[in-house]
Amino acid sequence: MVASLTEAEQARVRRGAVVFRGACAACHQLDGRGQPGLAPPLRDSEWVTGPAERLVRIALHGVRGPIEVDGRTWDLEMPGQGHLSDQELAQVLSYLRRAFGHEASCVEPQAVQRERKRTRRRAGAWTATELLGKK
């Protein structure tokens, strides 16, 4: 059963749709299906609906391949979106975790702020191995 969203979470998701259209949709497409050779799908992606902390790290610093998404290996690099505010990142990530039929929890701005502080010395994009905690 999916937990109902609070009014504040619903508003965050609505605002996140706007941020998504401006910051993500050109590559990942409005329907979240991605584009071959450019960006993997976000729809039904375990990277989107998995641990929120991992998704925040990807959004802040980017991710570089190889990375497996939806059974396919992608060897591209997504730039970080750390220029977005904590609020904007929480909005877009909450949107992604609720869009396309997803039922994951929303992301709080405080969670983005904590992760930004925790990874402030990070230089460059993450690898899938790092994000999954494997050596």
Side-chain angles (χ1 to χ4, degrees):
M1 183 170 147
V2 180
S4 297
L5 298 181
T6 66
E7 286 184 33
E9 289 170 330
Q10 290 173 27
R12 188 176 316 130
V13 169
R14 282 192 305 274
R15 288 189 295 271
V18 175
V19 177
F20 176 78
R21 284 193 296 274
C24 312
C27 295
H28 292 285
Q29 299 298 290
L30 285 172
D31 63 5
R33 294 189 191 277
Q35 294 185 71
L38 184 60
L42 300 174
R43 178 185 292 266
D44 302 325
S45 172
E46 64 277 11
W47 294 98
V48 171
T49 59
E53 176 184 276
R54 184 174 71 195
L55 183 60
V56 171
R57 287 179 176 199
I58 291 170
L60 283 170
H61 303 288
V63 64
R64 68 178 184 273
I67 185 169
E68 189 171 315
V69 181
D70 197 27
R72 183 172 168 207
T73 300
W74 297 77
D75 200 7
L76 304 165
E77 184 165 341
M78 183 194 104
Q81 302 297 306
H83 62 281
L84 295 174
S85 71
D86 295 343
Q87 185 71 28
E88 290 168 320
L89 285 172
Q91 291 166 351
V92 73
L93 299 179
S94 293
Y95 168 74
L96 289 175
R97 291 171 61 82
R98 298 302 287 200
F100 320 125
H102 298 161
E103 299 176 342
S105 62
C106 287
V107 175
E108 297 290 328
Q110 296 84 353
V112 176
Q113 181 181 39
R114 272 192 311 273
E115 202 56 35
R116 190 186 297 268
K117 185 176 181 181
R118 197 176 290 151
T119 63
R120 70 185 173 277
R121 291 189 176 95
R122 176 76 192 184
W126 298 94
T127 65
T129 301
E130 290 173 314
L131 291 166
L132 294 172
K134 300 176 183 175
K135 297 285 178 184

